[in-house]
Amino acid sequence: MLNLVSVAANKGGDPEYSANPMFVSPIMNTSILVKHRIRPHEEYLFRGPVSVATKIIVPFDRNDLRLGGRSFFVDEKGFNDVLKELGNYHSGGLERDAEVMRLVNRVPSLDPFLLREYLKMHEVIVPNCYLEVSAADRMRMYDFAAKDMLAFIQLATGNTVGRNDAMTDRFVSALLADDSSERLEPLRTVLMLDGNEFREGVFSWRGFLYYKWSLYTVWPEVTPVLKQIQDIRPRGLPGPEDAEYIAVARRRIAEAVKIAAVEVNRILKVYDTAYSDLIEKGQPRSFRDFLLSAPHMFLQLGEKMAAISHITSFWGYRFQAKDAARPDADELVAVLQDFESGFPVPPVRQLAAAG
C-alpha cells in the first residue's frame, strides 16, 4: 500500500513535496494506492484476464479514513473517465497522471525502492518524501538495522556503542526515517558525500537494509508454505488438464522461489562485500561509490522479493486459517497461475499454448 494521505500529513511542508508532486491532481496526490488480487466478481471490470491490479482509493474525508471513499482500478473499463471525474482535472495533467498510474500498475509491489527505480527508469522522478518505509515497517526493522549498522556507527563516532544505546537509536532512527539532517553528519563525513549525493546514498543504504530485513522476515515462512502448496488437494476430482497443470505448476513454483532467493542473496552479498570493505579495510570510497551506483539493483531485488512475499502472504491469508475451505480445482489453478505470474518465466499453460 502507498498511503499518500499519510505522506501529505507528514511531508506536506517539504519543499520537494509541492515542487514535484507524484500526481498533478491534488485529489489523486492524497489518495491511497493498493495492490489488490482480483476476485471472481471483479473480473468483469476489465477487458481481459487480470490477476493483480492497482486500486486507487479516494477518501471521503482525509482526516477520518473510517468514513471510506470511492475506489477504482487502474485500466479498468472507463478508467480515464473515472480518473477525470474523481481527479477534478481543470488545468491539465490527466494524461500525465494516467501514465504514472499505469507505470505503478506494472510494478509487482509498492515497496518504495522498487517503485522509485521503476518510475525513474521511465523518466518519472518522484521525491524521496513520497516513497519512504512505512512507520510500521520502520519499527519492525529497527533491531535488524541496528545490528547491521553497529560497526559503522562505532567507526563514524569513534565510540564503543551497543544496540540499545542512545547514540545507536539516534543514527538508526534517522537513517530509517530518511532524516539526513545533522543527526547523520558523522555518517556523511565518513562516506564523503555532499548535498543530494548524501540523500541518494542514505536512500540506497536504507533500501538494502529493507531488502535484507524483508528476506530475513519472510524466509522462515517459505519452506512451510511450499510444502503446503505441494500437499494441498482440491475438492472433487480435477479434469485431466487441470490435474496436469497443478502437478507441474507446483514444481515450477518451488523451483522459481529457490532461484529467486539465490539471486536475492547474490545481490545482497554485493552489498555485504562493499560494507565489509568499509568496516574491515577502512575503504569508505568503495562503499560510497557502491551506494550511489547500486539502486538499479532494487529492480531485481524488489521484483523477486515481491513474488516470494506475495506467495507467503496470500497463502497464509487464504489457506492457513483454521476454518479455511479447501479450494476447488478452478480456484487452485487460478492461485497457482497467479503465483507463477510473479516470476519471469510464463506459466506452464501459456508455454503449452504457445507451443
Side-chain angles (χ1 to χ4, degrees), residues 45-329:
L45 293 169
F46 301 89
R47 291 184 175 84
V50 174
S51 58
V52 177
T54 303
K55 177 184 282 189
I56 312 294
I57 303 171
V58 179
F60 291 131
D61 184 344
R62 296 197 298 269
N63 296 315
D64 189 354
L65 299 183
R66 294 173 299 179
L67 298 177
R70 291 191 61 180
S71 67
F72 63 104
F73 292 106
V74 175
D75 275 343
E76 68 174 37
K77 296 173 185 175
F79 165 66
N80 277 13
D81 292 335
V82 176
L83 178 60
K84 182 177 180 180
E85 175 192 351
L86 293 183
N88 198 21
Y89 292 89
H90 295 304
S91 304
L94 174 63
E95 292 183 2
R96 186 268 182 192
D97 282 2
E99 178 59 24
V100 173
M101 287 184 179
R102 289 190 171 103
L103 290 173
V104 171
N105 193 48
R106 293 175 200 159
V107 182
S109 89
L110 295 176
D111 96 54
F113 308 99
L114 170 61
L115 185 56
R116 180 181 186 262
E117 289 308 306
Y118 187 81
L119 293 176
K120 184 178 178 181
M121 185 174 69
H122 290 84
E123 300 182 346
V124 177
I125 307 301
V126 177
N128 291 354
C129 63
Y130 280 91
L131 301 173
E132 294 185 349
V133 178
S134 70
D137 277 352
R138 287 202 303 270
M139 290 179 62
R140 288 189 286 264
M141 282 178 65
Y142 180 88
D143 285 341
F144 181 88
K147 180 180 178 181
D148 200 88
M149 287 182 64
L150 204 57
F152 184 90
I153 295 170
Q154 292 177 350
L155 176 67
T157 63
N159 297 318
T160 301
V161 295
R163 288 171 62 180
N164 299 316
D165 290 356
M167 186 175 295
T168 302
D169 178 71
R170 181 160 60 95
F171 283 121
V172 175
S173 298
L175 182 68
L176 296 183
D178 190 30
D179 180 358
S180 52
S181 65
E182 65 277 1
R183 291 200 296 169
L184 291 179
E185 181 62 21
L187 279 67
R188 188 194 67 77
T189 301
V190 171
L191 294 175
M192 299 179 292
L193 294 168
D194 295 315
N196 189 59
E197 279 190 342
F198 184 49
R199 291 183 63 85
E200 290 296 303
V202 167
F203 184 86
S204 181
W205 194 354
R206 191 165 60 254
F208 279 99
L209 288 173
Y210 174 83
Y211 286 121
K212 286 185 70 174
W213 167 76
S214 296
L215 184 63
Y216 173 84
T217 302
V218 76
W219 194 249
E221 304 172 20
V222 170
T223 299
V225 166
L226 289 179
K227 185 178 187 308
Q228 291 166 24
I229 290 174
Q230 299 301 316
D231 293 343
I232 195 168
R233 296 292 179 269
R235 292 196 318 270
L237 187 64
E241 186 179 353
D242 284 344
E244 180 181 3
Y245 171 74
I246 291 169
V248 177
R250 291 174 186 193
R251 295 194 297 270
R252 283 170 54 89
I253 290 168
E255 185 65 21
V257 168
K258 292 174 184 176
I259 292 172
V262 167
E263 183 64 10
V264 169
N265 274 301
R266 182 192 67 79
I267 297 171
L268 292 176
K269 181 66 175 177
V270 178
Y271 161 81
D272 288 338
T273 299
Y275 186 62
S276 177
D277 285 346
L278 168 66
I279 300 302
E280 297 177 9
K281 300 179 183 179
Q283 297 177 357
R285 185 171 294 278
S286 174
F287 188 57
R288 166 195 182 276
D289 293 344
F290 167 78
L291 289 179
L292 294 178
S293 64
H296 68 277
M297 296 180 182
F298 293 161
L299 294 173
Q300 299 178 62
L301 282 168
E303 289 171 355
K304 290 172 174 57
M305 284 304 307
I308 295 172
S309 179
H310 174 61
I311 290 173
T312 59
S313 60
F314 182 78
W315 193 266
Y317 162 77
R318 171 57 183 88
F319 296 115
Q320 291 183 331
K322 291 182 179 179
D323 57 348
R326 285 171 59 197
D328 58 24

